[in-house]
Amino acid sequence: GAGVSQSPSNKVTEKGKDVELRCDPISGHTALYWYRQSLGQGLEFLIYFQGNSAPDKSGLPSDRFSAERTGGSVSTLTIQRTQQEDSAVYLCASSSGLDPDTQYFGPGTRLTVL
Amino acid sequence: LAKTTQPISMDSYEGQEVNITCSHNNIATNDYITWYQQFPSQGPRFIIQGYKTKVTNEVASLFIPADRKSSTLSLPRVSLSDTAVYYCLVGDAGFNKFYFGSGTKLNVKP
């Protein structure tokens, strides 16, 4: 079966522009996560969706960041008025939501803000 | 929420056993411990998961002492292809927040 897919794989944008990053989770997975990974750094948790529950947005670094998950499947991470410090790889993961849980990661979107 | 501490880097040679230890002093009763492997330009990949004592699969072993305040990932007979970053992850009881450690960069030399 298909794994987690993300698009685009690379995105170059100018400072101040808005960007949308897409994640297609594994079919049937109820949980979806977004992480950010700066060059040479570990993963930084951003947001978590579980089924139809309200998302846990506590990891979002500023109000310029938002995420949606439509129909319990595809998710979009939006960054408004991008800044150079937003440059990073944005990783999406999904899981079955069962206890214990294992996350399956996508290949990531590399965002470069000029 | 439990956070983790790992060595920043480790060196090894092909054929050796490698042990990477992760500290998680504030681990909660319901938390599981999971290890991931990440190659450059790829997302992390699940290696092994455990709750207590010892878990073994075809790739690695995971040792967890009784107090669960640390865990050790053991990779038997590493090869050059095991060169990667290894992350220790402790799951919050509600599975709504995951904190990856800083990761351990393992460099396997010929």
Side-chain angles (χ1 to χ4, degrees):
Chain A
V4 178
S5 60
Q6 293 186 245
S7 60
S9 56
N10 282 284
K11 176 71 176 179
V12 180
T13 189
E14 294 180 347
K15 178 181 174 181
K17 296 288 181 68
D18 297 351
V19 295
E20 284 189 353
L21 312 180
R22 177 186 169 103
C23 172
D24 283 89
I26 293 173
S27 177
H29 277 189
T30 60
L32 187 147
Y33 312 77
W34 283 99
Y35 295 86
R36 177 169 70 174
Q37 186 170 35
S38 300
L39 187 63
Q41 302 299 309
L43 280 72
E44 175 189 3
F45 167 82
L46 297 178
I47 188 169
Y48 161 82
F49 295 88
Q50 171 58 282
N52 296 321
S53 302
D56 180 344
K57 305 179 181 180
S58 59
L60 295 178
S62 78
D63 58 9
R64 295 186 295 104
F65 288 73
S66 62
E68 292 184 340
R69 189 178 184 193
T70 55
S73 180
V74 172
S75 177
T76 301
L77 177 69
T78 301
I79 308 174
Q80 296 178 311
R81 305 181 301 282
T82 52
Q83 304 294 314
Q84 288 184 330
E85 59 263 28
D86 298 334
S87 295
V89 175
Y90 289 81
L91 290 158
C92 174
S94 71
S95 72
S96 63
L98 299 175
D99 181 5
D101 209 7
T102 299
Q103 298 176 51
Y104 296 86
F105 283 81
T109 293
R110 181 175 298 277
L111 174 66
T112 303
V113 181
L114 301 177
Chain B
L1 295 169
K3 295 192 177 181
T4 60
T5 303
Q6 304 174 234
I8 294 174
S9 64
M10 295 181 68
D11 289 333
S12 182
Y13 290 92
E14 283 191 291
Q16 289 188 331
E17 177 184 82
V18 171
N19 296 309
I20 306 174
T21 297
C22 177
S23 298
H24 27 79
N25 292 320
N26 297 322
I27 189 169
T29 302
N30 294 334
D31 284 350
Y32 279 77
I33 301 155
T34 311
W35 285 79
Y36 288 81
Q37 174 191 56
Q38 186 178 28
F39 297 112
S41 303
Q42 294 186 23
R45 182 174 70 102
F46 171 86
I47 300 176
I48 197 167
Q49 183 178 72
Y51 183 80
K52 62 180 179 180
T53 63
K54 177 183 175 182
V55 179
T56 298
N57 62 23
E58 65 278 6
V59 176
S61 294
L62 179 60
F63 298 92
I64 305 169
D67 65 7
R68 305 204 322 126
K69 292 184 182 299
S70 67
S71 59
T72 299
L73 173 73
S74 181
L75 304 172
R77 299 177 298 281
V78 294
S79 63
L80 295 177
S81 62
D82 293 317
T83 294
V85 178
Y86 292 82
Y87 292 97
C88 168
L89 181 66
V90 176
D92 175 71
F95 289 99
N96 62 356
K97 280 182 184 174
F98 281 94
Y99 289 97
F100 279 74
S102 57
T104 298
K105 182 174 174 55
L106 174 65
N107 183 30
V108 180
K109 304 175 183 178

